[in-house]
Each structure stands twice: as C-alpha cells, then as structure tokens.
Amino acid sequence: PLLEDAEIEELLRKYPRFKGALPHEARLWTEAELETYLWQRKPADLSDKKSVPLNCGLLTKARLKLAELKVESATSEYVSYCRHRQQRSNFCSLPDAASCSPVQRVRQVSGVLTQPVTLVPKRGHDPIWRGWGMSFWKEACGLEYCNCRTRWPAFEHDEPGIDGICIESGLTEYLEYMLVVELQDPACMEDQAMAFPRLQVGDFCPFITSCSRFFRDHYHAWSPGVEDLTLRWCQIYAAIFEQDPLLQLAQFYRLHFGVIGAVSRLHKANHQASEWLLQLEGQRLFFLFPPEDGENLYELQGGYDESRSDGSFGFAASCSEVNVFFPSQKRHPLFSKCNVQVSLLGEGKTLVIPPGWWWCAVCTQPSVTMHHTYWGFENRLGFVDTLWAPFDSQQTSVDARNSMRPAFAELREALRKDDGRQDLEQLLGH
C-alpha cells in the first residue's frame, strides 16, 4: 500500500538531519525502507517535552540492583568522564599524558599495520551496512537477550558491587533504556550518575542465531581491507572438529550498543588479536596506547571466568585501572609518560587496531558499533588460544580439558605449518 502523506511527514520529523527532496517513488516504499533511506535515527519526541519517557523497565531493574547491593557510587570511569566533560573544553584530549595526537586517517588500508588508523569512507561510497543503526537491529533481532554491564569488558578480578553488575534484558528493552537516558541526562551530570546508571551491551552476537543467514549473505562485504585470515583458520578448525566454518567465524563479529556516556574500560584484545570497529550509528571516542606503554598503564592480568564471559568473549585478560581522565600521581605516576592517540569515530568510519594496543572508549552519542577480532599470519596462534581459553579455566574439569587436548594440538600444529599456499585438504592430510 502507498504511504500516506501524513506517514511520510511523520518520518521526516523523526529525521531532521535529512535534507533535500524525496524521490517520487518513495511513497511506494515500505516504512522500513523509507527509514533506511533517511538514514539518521532521531525520534520525533526528542523535541516534545510532554512525551519524554521518565523511566523504563531496564532502568528500574538497574536502580533496584544498585539498592540491593547498597551501591553508593557509579563506576570510577563514568564519574571521571562526567568531571572531564564538565571541566575541560577539549574532551578529546588527555592533558596528563606525555602526548595526545589524532589517529591517522586513511582512505584505504594495506599491509600489516603497526599503528592504528581511522578508515574514512571514499566520497560517493554507498556501503551495504548504511542504515544498520538501532532501528535496524531492533527489527532484526530485538527479541534476543543480551547482557547489560556496568563495566565492559568483564575482568576476572572485578569486585562484587558496581563493577560486577550484569543484567539480562531483551535488546528492545535496552534500546528503550538508551533513549530514556539520552533524553533525561544527555549532559552526563555527575549528580545524576546514580539516578541514570550507565549500562552497555558489549558482546551481542545475533550472527549465530536470528541473523545467521544475514551474516552468511553479507559478512564478506564488511571488511575494511585488512589482512584477515580468520575464515581460513575457521575452515581448518571446522575440518578438525567437524563443525560449520561460517558458524565458527560468525562468533568473531559482535555488536556493541552503548548509551550516551557509557565508558569501555582500558584494556587490550586477548591473545594478540587485531581488531576493527565500524561505527554504524552515533559517535564513540577512543583513546589508544601503544604496546610499549603497558608498563606505564600498570597492567593487570586475569583469565577466563565462565560467570563473566560469553563463550570465548566478553572478558579481558589484560586491563588497567588507571584513571585516564584524572590519573593518580601517587598510584600511577608513570601514566605521565604515555603517548596517547585519539579517534573520534563517527558514523561510517572504521577504527583498525593492531595487536597489543590498549584502548578505552566513551559513547559521546547513543552508539552502535560492529566489532571484529581477527588474525593474520603473524598472530595466527592467538586464534587457537582464544578457542582454548574456556577449556583452560578453573570451571572446566580435568577430564573435559584432557579430552580436548589432542584436537587442539592438531589445530595448533596445522596453523603453525600453514604457509597460505597449500590447499586445506592437503594441509590437513585428508
């Protein structure tokens, strides 16, 4: 059926950033197709104070959990960000570091990277993922459950209380919570920190469930052009363990949903993985530190914890408790020697992070980020370590661990011998 003029006008009010005239055939589109064309999600009720929601189910759950645990303060990262935002005119800078420079911006990625880069789309480029914001994922997988955490990624040694809060909710419920907080506390005021606790969804993976077919149809078009051989390693894994290689590959693609003000803790990727992060909607501010700054960041090490992890994901084996916005001169004096790089990642841009780099991030707008961990030849054995991590934990019995050792030893040896030129059947001796 044709869209009514009133329906089109209502959608246009939702997307005030859209400029220009609609094509004549727009009224033949569905509402979802027109929303995709308009691209930028901006609910109409942002300007209607009478219709601003005051609360939602997830926000109530979070407040009840804080009361149950007798929590009296928000996470240290969020409180520091509130002060940083209010007290400093340039919130993209860390004045206590030795240097703070922008991440290099490029139009294409080539070769093996040793420095992070921000990939800026070429002019006229119309990517397949254009329009894959909150509305898109709500329609595609809004009924799936996700873990909403006060701190992400989780760390084995997090203390009970504010640092360890994890609330399960439906994705649609979380997106509603994002809107309420955006409307009620957009300036991230410190005195509102307990009234509007910040939760984030860090490792949402619908690509192995409701969006598995979607993943198979589109994953090949998502790469920013990096040397990513993860599919090859998944094919070797699948041959040894008799599993679907694309199902295995899908788990390395995750979605991060962040309410405005959500802070991802300072950490580095596990098992020498490389990472790219594609900003699908909103804006996220990244601070990155080179591997040699590990000593200056007072690295803390942990392991896999089944209660805090999602399979092989959702946890950090290496993190830092340094307050990057207001570092303690007494506890962390070496932070002043750090050389920071900054990337303000807007919609359509991709941040590529080499192995070993530390990073933390703040959602300066309601944010959706696609996050992919991957391996090339130079760090390929980290792929094995990632999949072995759950079996090497204290929660896994000795018998279960020993039963898996031969297959993982075969996988490690196959990757070690692989030079990229052999056919997989030849490599595996089939």
Side-chain angles (χ1 to χ4, degrees):
L2 296 178
L3 284 174
E4 299 289 340
D5 288 339
E7 295 175 312
I8 294 176
E9 289 299 322
E10 182 180 355
L11 285 175
L12 287 172
R13 285 195 297 272
K14 284 186 178 181
Y15 298 86
R17 294 188 185 181
F18 175 78
K19 305 296 181 184
L22 290 173
H24 294 297
E25 64 270 23
R27 65 173 55 254
L28 301 176
W29 298 346
T30 66
E31 184 174 333
E33 288 170 337
L34 182 54
E35 285 207 17
T36 299
Y37 181 82
L38 295 175
W39 170 246
Q40 175 68 30
R41 173 188 175 274
K42 274 293 179 183
D45 58 6
L46 282 176
S47 60
D48 184 357
K49 296 298 184 182
K50 294 181 180 179
S51 63
V52 172
L54 299 176
N55 203 354
C56 63
L58 180 56
L59 190 54
T60 297
K61 292 178 186 177
R63 289 167 174 167
L64 290 174
K65 177 61 72 172
L66 294 175
E68 174 189 336
L69 298 175
K70 299 180 180 179
V71 173
E72 297 181 353
S73 177
T75 62
S76 57
E77 292 107 334
Y78 180 65
V79 172
S80 294
Y81 173 67
C82 292
R83 296 173 182 173
H84 175 75
R85 179 173 172 144
Q86 297 299 321
Q87 297 177 19
R88 291 167 176 162
S89 57
N90 181 8
F91 66 87
C92 293
S93 178
L94 297 180
D96 292 289
S99 66
C100 196
S101 58
V103 170
Q104 181 185 6
R105 294 160 65 95
V106 299
R107 290 289 185 184
Q108 63 182 20
V109 179
S110 60
V112 178
L113 296 176
T114 58
Q115 297 279 327
V117 296
T118 299
L119 181 64
V120 181
K122 297 178 180 178
R123 292 185 179 89
H125 181 52
D126 188 20
I128 191 172
W129 38 260
R130 186 179 178 91
W132 290 0
M134 285 170 257
S135 298
F136 176 88
W137 296 111
K138 179 180 178 180
E139 183 175 345
C141 49
L143 297 180
E144 286 208 30
Y145 281 91
C146 53
N147 290 322
C148 310
R149 299 184 180 276
T150 48
R151 296 191 83 184
W152 180 87
F155 185 58
E156 181 184 17
H157 305 302
D158 279 341
E159 296 290 336
I162 187 63
D163 292 345
I165 290 178
C166 177
I167 301 173
E168 187 179 67
S169 80
L171 179 62
T172 296
E173 187 179 10
Y174 182 79
L175 296 177
E176 180 186 18
Y177 153 83
M178 289 176 67
L179 175 60
V180 170
V181 175
E182 178 189 9
L183 298 175
Q184 297 292 339
D185 186 31
C188 301
M189 302 302 294
E190 185 180 350
D191 60 1
Q192 295 272 58
M194 293 298 290
F196 298 99
R198 263 47 180 189
L199 302 169
Q200 58 191 301
V201 176
D203 285 281
F204 183 64
C205 185
F207 307 121
I208 57 177
T209 50
S210 61
C211 294
S212 59
R213 183 172 179 177
F214 171 84
F215 175 81
R216 292 169 185 270
D217 290 343
H218 297 295
Y219 78 90
H220 57 277
W222 298 345
S223 173
V226 296
E227 183 188 81
D228 179 3
L229 297 174
T230 311
L231 175 58
R232 183 175 178 87
W233 312 143
C234 286
Q235 290 170 332
I236 296 174
Y237 174 91
I240 295 173
F241 289 85
E242 299 182 349
Q243 294 188 13
D244 182 346
L246 288 185
L247 188 63
Q248 189 65 28
L249 177 67
Q251 68 176 320
F252 295 107
Y253 290 82
R254 302 273 162 153
L255 294 173
H256 179 280
F257 293 88
V259 66
I260 187 169
V263 183
S264 302
R265 78 193 310 160
L266 183 56
H267 70 289
K268 63 180 179 180
N270 299 336
H271 310 300
Q272 283 297 300
S274 301
E275 304 170 273
W276 58 251
L277 300 103
L278 167 61
Q279 195 66 22
L280 297 175
E281 183 171 358
Q283 186 175 262
R284 207 165 165 204
L285 175 63
F286 288 80
F287 297 102
L288 302 102
F289 302 80
E292 56 268 25
D293 270 345
E295 180 181 355
N296 301 330
L297 295 175
Y298 301 85
E299 177 178 358
L300 300 176
Q301 295 185 344
Y304 177 86
D305 185 342
E306 187 177 77
S307 64
R308 303 178 191 268
S309 307
D310 176 14
S312 298
F313 302 89
F315 75 100
S318 297
C319 74
S320 169
E321 290 299 297
V322 173
N323 181 340
V324 298
F325 301 113
F326 297 96
S328 168
Q329 293 298 317
K330 183 177 181 180
R331 294 177 56 211
H332 305 128
L334 295 180
F335 181 79
S336 60
K337 298 182 179 181
C338 288
N339 297 292
V340 191
Q341 294 192 33
V342 185
S343 177
L344 187 59
L345 202 65
E347 293 173 8
K349 297 176 183 176
T350 302
L351 175 63
V352 185
I353 306 177
W357 276 74
W358 293 77
W359 63 272
C360 60
V362 183
C363 297
T364 55
Q365 297 174 3
S367 164
V368 184
T369 313
M370 183 180 291
H371 183 184
H372 176 48
T373 51
Y374 66 95
W375 292 264
F377 272 111
E378 74 286 348
N379 57 349
R380 60 189 182 274
L381 294 183
F383 172 82
V384 184
D385 296 331
T386 295
L387 298 179
W388 175 251
F391 299 100
D392 201 30
S393 70
Q394 296 180 355
Q395 291 94 347
T396 302
S397 69
V398 174
D399 289 343
R401 184 181 303 119
N402 289 337
S403 69
M404 299 300 293
R405 284 189 188 279
F408 271 93
E410 182 182 355
L411 175 63
R412 185 178 295 275
E413 182 62 17
L415 263 67
R416 190 188 63 80
K417 295 192 310 184
D418 186 20
D419 59 5
R421 295 191 294 268
Q422 298 181 70
D423 179 84
L424 290 181
E425 290 189 2
Q426 179 185 2
L427 175 67
L428 296 169
H430 295 168

Short mmCIF file of all heavy atoms in Angstrom, two decimals, residues 90 92-105 115-118 285-290 293 338-344 351 357-358:
data_model
loop_
_atom_site.label_atom_id
_atom_site.label_comp_id
_atom_site.label_asym_id
_atom_site.label_seq_id
_atom_site.Cartn_x
_atom_site.Cartn_y
_atom_site.Cartn_z
N ASN A 90 38.18 20.79 25.84
CA ASN A 90 38.51 19.80 24.81
C ASN A 90 38.44 18.41 25.43
O ASN A 90 39.41 17.92 25.99
CB ASN A 90 39.90 20.08 24.24
CG ASN A 90 40.28 19.09 23.14
OD1 ASN A 90 39.44 18.29 22.69
ND2 ASN A 90 41.53 19.12 22.72
N CYS A 92 38.39 15.68 23.98
CA CYS A 92 39.11 14.68 23.19
C CYS A 92 40.58 14.59 23.58
O CYS A 92 41.35 13.85 22.95
CB CYS A 92 39.00 15.00 21.71
SG CYS A 92 37.34 14.83 21.05
N SER A 93 40.98 15.32 24.59
CA SER A 93 42.38 15.34 25.00
C SER A 93 42.55 14.77 26.40
O SER A 93 41.63 14.81 27.22
CB SER A 93 42.91 16.78 24.97
OG SER A 93 44.25 16.84 25.41
N LEU A 94 43.73 14.20 26.65
CA LEU A 94 44.10 13.73 27.99
C LEU A 94 45.33 14.53 28.42
O LEU A 94 46.46 14.18 28.10
CB LEU A 94 44.43 12.22 27.97
CG LEU A 94 43.29 11.28 27.59
CD1 LEU A 94 43.77 9.82 27.62
CD2 LEU A 94 42.10 11.45 28.53
N PRO A 95 45.14 15.62 29.14
CA PRO A 95 46.23 16.55 29.44
C PRO A 95 47.32 15.98 30.32
O PRO A 95 48.43 16.54 30.36
CB PRO A 95 45.52 17.73 30.12
CG PRO A 95 44.22 17.18 30.60
CD PRO A 95 43.84 16.11 29.64
N ASP A 96 47.06 14.89 31.05
CA ASP A 96 48.09 14.35 31.95
C ASP A 96 49.03 13.37 31.26
O ASP A 96 49.99 12.90 31.88
CB ASP A 96 47.41 13.65 33.14
CG ASP A 96 46.70 14.63 34.05
OD1 ASP A 96 47.39 15.38 34.75
OD2 ASP A 96 45.45 14.67 34.04
N ALA A 97 48.78 13.03 29.99
CA ALA A 97 49.67 12.14 29.25
C ALA A 97 50.81 12.95 28.63
O ALA A 97 50.75 14.17 28.51
CB ALA A 97 48.89 11.41 28.16
N ALA A 98 51.89 12.24 28.25
CA ALA A 98 53.04 12.92 27.66
C ALA A 98 52.67 13.57 26.34
O ALA A 98 53.14 14.66 26.02
CB ALA A 98 54.18 11.92 27.47
N SER A 99 51.84 12.88 25.55
CA SER A 99 51.40 13.44 24.28
C SER A 99 50.03 12.88 23.95
O SER A 99 49.65 11.81 24.42
CB SER A 99 52.40 13.12 23.15
OG SER A 99 52.42 11.72 22.91
N CYS A 100 49.31 13.61 23.12
CA CYS A 100 47.96 13.19 22.73
C CYS A 100 47.75 13.66 21.30
O CYS A 100 47.60 14.86 21.04
CB CYS A 100 46.92 13.80 23.67
SG CYS A 100 45.30 13.03 23.58
N SER A 101 47.76 12.72 20.36
CA SER A 101 47.68 13.06 18.94
C SER A 101 46.58 12.26 18.26
O SER A 101 46.19 11.19 18.74
CB SER A 101 49.03 12.78 18.26
OG SER A 101 49.38 11.41 18.42
N PRO A 102 46.05 12.76 17.16
CA PRO A 102 44.97 12.04 16.48
C PRO A 102 45.47 10.80 15.77
O PRO A 102 46.60 10.76 15.27
CB PRO A 102 44.43 13.08 15.48
CG PRO A 102 45.56 14.00 15.24
CD PRO A 102 46.32 14.07 16.53
N VAL A 103 44.63 9.78 15.73
CA VAL A 103 44.92 8.59 14.95
C VAL A 103 44.94 8.98 13.47
O VAL A 103 44.14 9.80 13.01
CB VAL A 103 43.85 7.50 15.20
CG1 VAL A 103 43.98 6.35 14.21
CG2 VAL A 103 43.94 6.98 16.63
N GLN A 104 45.88 8.42 12.73
CA GLN A 104 46.00 8.72 11.30
C GLN A 104 44.72 8.34 10.56
O GLN A 104 44.18 7.25 10.75
CB GLN A 104 47.19 7.98 10.69
CG GLN A 104 47.38 8.25 9.21
CD GLN A 104 48.48 7.41 8.60
OE1 GLN A 104 49.04 6.53 9.25
NE2 GLN A 104 48.80 7.66 7.34
N ARG A 105 44.24 9.22 9.69
CA ARG A 105 43.05 8.97 8.88
C ARG A 105 43.48 8.55 7.48
O ARG A 105 44.36 9.19 6.87
CB ARG A 105 42.17 10.23 8.81
CG ARG A 105 41.59 10.62 10.16
CD ARG A 105 41.17 12.07 10.19
NE ARG A 105 40.09 12.36 9.26
CZ ARG A 105 38.80 12.38 9.59
NH1 ARG A 105 38.43 12.12 10.84
NH2 ARG A 105 37.87 12.67 8.70
N GLN A 115 50.44 0.64 13.52
CA GLN A 115 49.80 1.79 14.15
C GLN A 115 48.31 1.75 13.83
O GLN A 115 47.91 1.32 12.75
CB GLN A 115 50.38 3.10 13.62
CG GLN A 115 51.86 3.32 13.91
CD GLN A 115 52.10 3.82 15.31
OE1 GLN A 115 51.30 4.57 15.87
NE2 GLN A 115 53.23 3.43 15.91
N PRO A 116 47.46 2.21 14.76
CA PRO A 116 46.02 2.26 14.45
C PRO A 116 45.74 3.29 13.36
O PRO A 116 46.47 4.27 13.21
CB PRO A 116 45.39 2.65 15.78
CG PRO A 116 46.46 3.36 16.53
CD PRO A 116 47.75 2.72 16.12
N VAL A 117 44.68 3.06 12.61
CA VAL A 117 44.24 4.01 11.59
C VAL A 117 42.72 4.13 11.65
O VAL A 117 42.02 3.19 12.03
CB VAL A 117 44.67 3.60 10.17
CG1 VAL A 117 46.18 3.59 10.03
CG2 VAL A 117 44.08 2.25 9.78
N THR A 118 42.23 5.31 11.28
CA THR A 118 40.80 5.52 11.12
C THR A 118 40.50 5.55 9.63
O THR A 118 41.01 6.41 8.91
CB THR A 118 40.35 6.84 11.76
OG1 THR A 118 40.64 6.82 13.17
CG2 THR A 118 38.85 7.04 11.58
N LEU A 285 34.24 7.89 21.23
CA LEU A 285 35.57 8.49 21.39
C LEU A 285 36.54 7.45 21.93
O LEU A 285 36.32 6.88 23.00
CB LEU A 285 35.48 9.69 22.34
CG LEU A 285 36.78 10.38 22.73
CD1 LEU A 285 37.46 10.99 21.51
CD2 LEU A 285 36.51 11.45 23.79
N PHE A 286 37.62 7.19 21.17
CA PHE A 286 38.61 6.17 21.54
C PHE A 286 39.93 6.82 21.93
O PHE A 286 40.41 7.73 21.26
CB PHE A 286 38.86 5.22 20.36
CG PHE A 286 37.72 4.28 20.06
CD1 PHE A 286 36.63 4.72 19.33
CD2 PHE A 286 37.75 2.97 20.50
CE1 PHE A 286 35.58 3.87 19.04
CE2 PHE A 286 36.70 2.11 20.22
CZ PHE A 286 35.61 2.55 19.48
N PHE A 287 40.52 6.30 23.03
CA PHE A 287 41.88 6.64 23.42
C PHE A 287 42.71 5.37 23.31
O PHE A 287 42.36 4.34 23.89
CB PHE A 287 41.91 7.16 24.86
CG PHE A 287 41.15 8.44 25.05
CD1 PHE A 287 39.88 8.44 25.63
CD2 PHE A 287 41.69 9.66 24.66
CE1 PHE A 287 39.17 9.61 25.81
CE2 PHE A 287 40.98 10.85 24.85
CZ PHE A 287 39.72 10.82 25.42
N LEU A 288 43.82 5.44 22.56
CA LEU A 288 44.64 4.26 22.29
C LEU A 288 46.07 4.47 22.76
O LEU A 288 46.63 5.56 22.62
CB LEU A 288 44.62 3.93 20.80
CG LEU A 288 43.24 3.69 20.19
CD1 LEU A 288 42.78 4.93 19.41
CD2 LEU A 288 43.23 2.48 19.28
N PHE A 289 46.67 3.39 23.27
CA PHE A 289 48.02 3.43 23.82
C PHE A 289 48.84 2.31 23.19
O PHE A 289 48.36 1.18 23.09
CB PHE A 289 47.98 3.24 25.34
CG PHE A 289 47.15 4.24 26.09
CD1 PHE A 289 45.76 4.12 26.15
CD2 PHE A 289 47.75 5.30 26.74
CE1 PHE A 289 44.99 5.03 26.84
CE2 PHE A 289 46.98 6.24 27.43
CZ PHE A 289 45.59 6.10 27.48
N PRO A 290 50.09 2.57 22.79
CA PRO A 290 50.91 1.55 22.14
C PRO A 290 51.31 0.44 23.11
O PRO A 290 51.28 0.62 24.33
CB PRO A 290 52.14 2.33 21.66
CG PRO A 290 52.21 3.52 22.57
CD PRO A 290 50.79 3.87 22.90
N ASP A 293 53.53 0.96 26.16
CA ASP A 293 53.02 1.70 27.31
C ASP A 293 52.40 0.79 28.36
O ASP A 293 51.86 1.28 29.36
CB ASP A 293 51.97 2.73 26.86
CG ASP A 293 52.60 4.08 26.54
OD1 ASP A 293 53.76 4.30 26.92
OD2 ASP A 293 51.93 4.91 25.89
N CYS A 338 52.92 8.25 29.01
CA CYS A 338 52.15 7.61 27.94
C CYS A 338 51.97 8.53 26.74
O CYS A 338 51.82 9.75 26.88
CB CYS A 338 50.77 7.20 28.45
SG CYS A 338 50.81 5.79 29.59
N ASN A 339 51.99 7.92 25.57
CA ASN A 339 51.74 8.63 24.32
C ASN A 339 50.41 8.13 23.74
O ASN A 339 50.31 7.01 23.26
CB ASN A 339 52.88 8.39 23.33
CG ASN A 339 54.19 8.94 23.84
OD1 ASN A 339 54.36 10.15 23.95
ND2 ASN A 339 55.12 8.06 24.17
N VAL A 340 49.41 8.98 23.82
CA VAL A 340 48.04 8.59 23.50
C VAL A 340 47.70 9.00 22.07
O VAL A 340 48.14 10.04 21.59
CB VAL A 340 47.03 9.27 24.46
CG1 VAL A 340 45.65 8.66 24.31
CG2 VAL A 340 47.52 9.19 25.89
N GLN A 341 46.91 8.16 21.41
CA GLN A 341 46.31 8.53 20.14
C GLN A 341 44.79 8.53 20.31
O GLN A 341 44.24 7.73 21.07
CB GLN A 341 46.72 7.57 19.03
CG GLN A 341 48.22 7.64 18.70
CD GLN A 341 48.58 6.91 17.42
OE1 GLN A 341 47.79 6.87 16.48
NE2 GLN A 341 49.77 6.34 17.38
N VAL A 342 44.13 9.45 19.62
CA VAL A 342 42.70 9.66 19.81
C VAL A 342 41.96 9.53 18.49
O VAL A 342 42.43 10.02 17.46
CB VAL A 342 42.42 11.07 20.40
CG1 VAL A 342 40.94 11.24 20.70
CG2 VAL A 342 43.27 11.31 21.63
N SER A 343 40.82 8.85 18.54
CA SER A 343 39.95 8.76 17.36
C SER A 343 38.52 9.03 17.78
O SER A 343 37.98 8.34 18.64
CB SER A 343 40.06 7.37 16.71
OG SER A 343 39.17 7.26 15.62
N LEU A 344 37.92 10.08 17.19
CA LEU A 344 36.51 10.36 17.40
C LEU A 344 35.77 9.69 16.25
O LEU A 344 35.73 10.22 15.14
CB LEU A 344 36.25 11.86 17.45
CG LEU A 344 34.83 12.29 17.83
CD1 LEU A 344 34.44 11.77 19.21
CD2 LEU A 344 34.70 13.80 17.78
N LEU A 351 37.70 2.07 12.78
CA LEU A 351 38.97 2.15 13.50
C LEU A 351 39.62 0.77 13.47
O LEU A 351 39.01 -0.22 13.87
CB LEU A 351 38.73 2.58 14.95
CG LEU A 351 39.95 2.61 15.88
CD1 LEU A 351 40.99 3.62 15.39
CD2 LEU A 351 39.54 2.91 17.32
N TRP A 357 47.73 -3.24 21.19
CA TRP A 357 47.39 -1.85 21.54
C TRP A 357 46.30 -1.82 22.59
O TRP A 357 45.33 -2.57 22.55
CB TRP A 357 46.94 -1.10 20.28
CG TRP A 357 48.10 -0.58 19.49
CD1 TRP A 357 48.96 -1.31 18.72
CD2 TRP A 357 48.54 0.77 19.42
NE1 TRP A 357 49.91 -0.49 18.17
CE2 TRP A 357 49.68 0.79 18.57
CE3 TRP A 357 48.09 1.97 19.96
CZ2 TRP A 357 50.37 1.96 18.27
CZ3 TRP A 357 48.78 3.15 19.67
CH2 TRP A 357 49.91 3.14 18.83
N TRP A 358 46.46 -0.92 23.54
CA TRP A 358 45.49 -0.71 24.60
C TRP A 358 44.47 0.33 24.15
O TRP A 358 44.82 1.26 23.42
CB TRP A 358 46.19 -0.19 25.87
CG TRP A 358 47.12 -1.16 26.51
CD1 TRP A 358 48.37 -1.49 26.10
CD2 TRP A 358 46.86 -1.94 27.68
NE1 TRP A 358 48.93 -2.42 26.94
CE2 TRP A 358 48.02 -2.71 27.93
CE3 TRP A 358 45.78 -2.05 28.55
CZ2 TRP A 358 48.12 -3.58 29.00
CZ3 TRP A 358 45.88 -2.91 29.62
CH2 TRP A 358 47.03 -3.68 29.84
#
